[in-house]
């Protein structure tokens, strides 16, 4: 992945192999790569800390003496808070900058896990979920930052690598959390360690070399200060080849009142949902609910259908999670094979997901369950990366934080709907949830087929006109 600065000489002749410009370009490429690797580490630590605690939440809240209904209501509070906060945090990151928003969200999430480590009753437990539910958008802001930093062509590969790094944390976290929970007061110890991981992440974000990777981008050309790269106000930087971001453009115009900026962001959000990206967000909702229905009763269904013990099912889940992480490395080659046609890659991955859900629902063989789970880990990872990149490509770079925030709100709606639909479908059959998921995936495929999105330039022009 080439991240070097495209230097030009005073004439049309080529530059010598060693010049100050080429040396600066080489140094900039190294700094840019180091910056991306640091962001990957941020994603790894984020999911590593979260995945230590999340599998233990239901067990802990039940140990506090509440009924299953109350436990379900408390558990759903996180999804409800995420539903209303995702878009606003995304808009906020567009206005104040990625660094400030990312750092504050990490610190407030750490506060939530600190309170969780002191939750000796259900009130404290519910209170601890509030800051996490509102501000746990660190991965979304990180993805928005990555979309600001790299070119549109490189973005799917970079997002795939970021998802891979995060996925590794999601694999290792439950192992550490499962070990710690065996200790006396293990849940509280795990929550405090998770808080410490987030504080470590905040320190990493604070120490990231923001200035070294930042470039000023006047119009359609590059300019470097004679001594070092310069940073526009509120702009966290753009790696070589990246489009001009909204923060960079805002630094060139007069600063407006905060409430005016908020109203402008909300207007852009309305246009995104109801005018330009409604079909893509609907696809995301349908496919998200379909996959959530598959996982909703996975352990229970395998036990009822094949007599598989939960411990063995846990190994299968870890196996598929590891494969899903490795699938992130396949995004780049697959997009090259499809000549970067995101819509076609998403359509084919969704069709494969629909087929695999149907196979899983109807098979009577455990071997077919393993095969379908293996392939699902690949198709869902590729589809998740492509739908995010398609949102950014179609919506343009004007408000990447808002776009990703709205996408996360759509996913939060899925987290609320999936448990309700799963409960109804399980009354009919253990295969009911994945069968319903296959039907929803089929609807998403039909929408993708009938509503082929126009080019990003066309959609961006429509958004400007509105």
């Amino acid at each position: 992945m080439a991240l070097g600065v495209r230097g030009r000489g005073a004439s049309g002749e080529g530059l010598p192999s060693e010049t100050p410009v080429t040396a600066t370009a080489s140094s900039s490429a190294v700094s840019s790569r180091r910056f991306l690797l640091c962001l990957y580490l941020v994603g790894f630590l984020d999911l590593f800390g979260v995945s230590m605690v999340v599998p233990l939440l239901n067990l802990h809240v039940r140990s506090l003496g509440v009924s299953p209904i109350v436990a379900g209501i408390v558990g759903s509070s996180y999804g409800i808070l995420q539903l209303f906060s995702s878009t606003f945090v995304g808009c906020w990151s567009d206005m104040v900058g990625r660094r400030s928003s990312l750092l504050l969200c990490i610190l407030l999430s750490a506060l939530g896990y600190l309170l969780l480590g002191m939750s000796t009753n259900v009130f404290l437990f519910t209170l601890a979920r509030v800051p996490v539910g509102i501000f746990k958008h660190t991965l979304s802001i990180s993805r928005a930052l990555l979309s600001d930093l790299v070119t549109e062509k490189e973005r799917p590969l970079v997002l795939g690598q970021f998802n891979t790094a995060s996925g590794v944390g999601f694999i290792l976290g439950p192992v550490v959390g499962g070990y710690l929970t065996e200790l006396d007061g293990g849940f509280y110890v795990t929550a405090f360690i998770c808080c410490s991981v987030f504080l470590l992440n905040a320190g990493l974000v604070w120490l990231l070399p923001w200035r070294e990777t930042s470039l000023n981008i006047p119009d359609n050309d590059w300019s470097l200060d004679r001594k070092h790269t310069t940073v526009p106000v509120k702009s966290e930087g753009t790696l070589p080849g990246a489009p001009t971001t909204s923060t960079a453009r805002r630094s060139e115009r007069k600063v407006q009142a905060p409430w005016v900026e908020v109203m402008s962001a909300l207007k852009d959000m309305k246009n995104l949902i109801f005018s330009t990206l409604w079909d893509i967000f609907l696809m995301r909702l349908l496919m998200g609910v379909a996959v959530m229905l598959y996982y909703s009763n996975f352990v229970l269904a395998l036990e009822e259908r094949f007599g598989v013990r939960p411990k063995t099912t846990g190994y299968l889940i870890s196996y598929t999670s590891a494969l899903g992480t490795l699938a992130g490395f396949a995004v780049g080659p697959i997009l090259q094979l499809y000549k970067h046609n995101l819509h076609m890659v998403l359509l084919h991955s969704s069709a494969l997901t629909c087929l695999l859900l149907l196979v899983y629902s109807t098979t009577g063989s455990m071997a077919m369950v393993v095969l379908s789970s293996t392939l699902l880990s690949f198709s869902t990872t590729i589809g998740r990366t492509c739908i995010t990149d398609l949102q950014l490509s179609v919506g343009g770079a004007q408000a990447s934080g808002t776009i990703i925030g709205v996408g996360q709100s759509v996913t939060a709606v899925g987290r609320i709907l999936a448990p309700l639909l799963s409960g109804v479908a399980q009354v009919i059959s253990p295969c009911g949830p994945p069968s319903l998921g296959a039907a929803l995936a089929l609807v998403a495929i039909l929408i993708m087929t009938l509503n082929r999105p126009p080019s990003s330039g066309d959609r961006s022009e429509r958004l400007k006109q509105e």
Side-chain angles (χ1 to χ4, degrees):
M1 183 171 58
L3 295 174
V5 178
R6 294 175 290 187
R8 294 184 299 184
S11 64
E13 298 178 1
L15 291 173
S17 58
E18 287 294 335
T19 67
V21 175
T22 56
T24 303
S26 176
S27 175
S28 177
V30 173
S31 298
S32 301
R33 183 61 182 171
R34 186 183 302 117
F35 188 85
L36 291 180
L37 291 176
C38 289
L39 279 181
Y40 296 161
L41 180 58
V42 169
F44 166 79
L45 290 174
D46 188 286
L47 275 191
F48 174 74
V50 169
S51 62
M52 283 195 301
V53 173
V54 169
L56 308 176
L57 290 178
N58 287 335
L59 183 63
H60 178 66
V61 73
R62 290 294 301 276
S63 69
L64 298 177
V66 301
S67 66
I69 295 178
V70 175
I73 295 174
V74 172
S76 65
S77 62
Y78 176 81
I80 295 173
L81 290 171
Q82 288 270 297
L83 169 63
F84 292 103
S85 64
S86 296
T87 303
F88 290 100
V89 171
C91 295
W92 175 57
S93 73
D94 285 333
M95 290 187 292
V96 304
R98 309 294 184 214
R99 183 185 189 182
S100 301
S101 57
L102 180 59
L103 187 60
L104 187 60
C105 282
I106 291 176
L107 289 174
L108 290 174
S109 297
L111 173 63
Y113 289 111
L114 177 63
L115 293 175
L116 194 64
M118 299 183 291
S119 59
T120 55
N121 56 63
V122 68
F123 173 76
L124 288 176
F125 182 91
T126 306
L127 181 64
R129 301 303 286 163
V130 173
V132 179
I134 296 175
F135 293 102
K136 180 58 184 73
H137 302 288
T138 50
L139 293 181
S140 300
I141 297 176
S142 298
R143 292 188 181 99
L145 176 58
L146 287 172
S147 71
D148 294 339
L149 294 178
V150 299
T151 63
E152 184 174 339
K153 186 176 181 180
E154 293 168 339
R155 188 168 57 211
L157 177 61
V158 171
L159 289 177
Q161 292 173 346
F162 179 79
N163 291 337
T164 298
S166 304
V168 172
F170 195 79
I171 294 171
L172 298 178
V175 177
V176 177
Y179 173 78
L180 292 175
T181 195
E182 297 293 331
L183 305 176
D184 187 24
F187 176 82
Y188 302 104
V189 174
T190 305
F192 284 129
I193 292 178
C194 178
C195 173
S196 302
V197 170
F198 271 76
L199 292 176
L200 176 63
N201 229 2
L204 178 61
V205 171
W206 178 263
L207 295 174
L208 277 177
W210 298 89
R211 182 171 294 274
E212 284 76 1
T213 58
S214 300
L215 294 175
N216 231 347
I217 308 177
D219 298 328
N220 292 320
D221 205 351
W222 305 106
S223 69
L224 290 173
D225 189 86
R226 286 176 294 178
K227 294 182 179 179
H228 54 75
T229 58
T230 59
V231 187
V233 178
K234 286 191 181 181
S235 176
E236 268 68 73
T238 305
L239 299 189
T244 305
T245 64
S246 56
T247 52
R249 283 190 297 273
R250 278 196 305 276
S251 65
E252 299 173 358
R253 71 172 185 253
K254 185 178 180 180
V255 178
Q256 296 178 337
W259 68 270
V260 175
E261 292 281 3
V262 171
M263 295 302 297
S264 176
L266 292 177
K267 182 179 179 181
D268 290 341
M269 180 185 69
K270 181 188 69 113
N271 291 337
L272 286 173
I273 297 175
F274 296 106
S275 301
T276 61
L277 292 170
W278 69 269
D279 50 347
I280 297 179
F281 288 136
L282 183 56
M283 298 173 204
R284 182 182 185 122
L285 175 62
L286 292 173
M287 292 304 301
V289 173
V291 175
M292 292 176 197
L293 286 172
Y294 162 74
Y295 286 111
S296 63
N297 73 330
F298 190 71
V299 176
L300 179 62
L302 290 189
E303 186 174 13
E304 291 186 5
R305 294 171 63 189
F306 303 101
V308 178
R309 295 173 60 87
K311 183 178 180 179
T312 304
T313 306
Y315 290 136
L316 178 58
I317 294 174
S318 297
Y319 159 74
T320 55
S321 298
L323 289 180
T325 300
L326 295 176
F329 293 107
V331 174
I334 290 175
L335 284 176
Q336 290 180 357
L337 180 63
Y338 279 82
K339 298 180 180 179
H340 293 272
N341 189 335
L342 290 169
H343 180 269
M344 193 59 63
V345 176
L346 180 61
L347 178 61
H348 289 175
S349 66
S350 300
L352 179 59
T353 299
C354 178
L355 176 62
L356 293 171
L357 289 175
L358 187 60
V359 170
Y360 166 75
S361 303
T362 57
T363 186
S365 169
M366 188 61 195
M368 289 301 298
V369 170
V370 174
L371 177 62
S372 61
S373 299
T374 299
L375 297 178
L376 267 171
S377 63
F378 281 91
S379 65
T380 54
T381 298
I382 293 171
R384 184 168 59 250
T385 302
C386 286
I387 192 67
T388 300
D389 193 60
L390 186 60
Q391 289 173 193
L392 295 170
S393 298
V394 174
Q398 290 83 1
S400 56
T402 303
I403 293 172
I404 292 180
V406 174
Q408 291 301 314
S409 293
V410 171
T411 302
V413 173
R415 291 194 185 103
I416 297 172
L417 293 178
L420 301 177
L421 295 175
S422 177
V424 174
Q426 282 187 69
V427 175
I428 302 174
S429 168
C431 300
S435 299
L436 179 58
L440 294 178
L442 181 60
V443 174
I445 293 169
L446 293 176
I447 293 175
M448 279 184 272
T449 304
L450 297 176
N451 294 273
R452 182 181 180 86
S455 64
S456 60
D458 295 339
R459 290 247 191 170
S460 297
E461 185 64 29
R462 285 170 50 190
L463 186 59
K464 291 177 182 178
Q465 292 175 357
E466 294 167 356

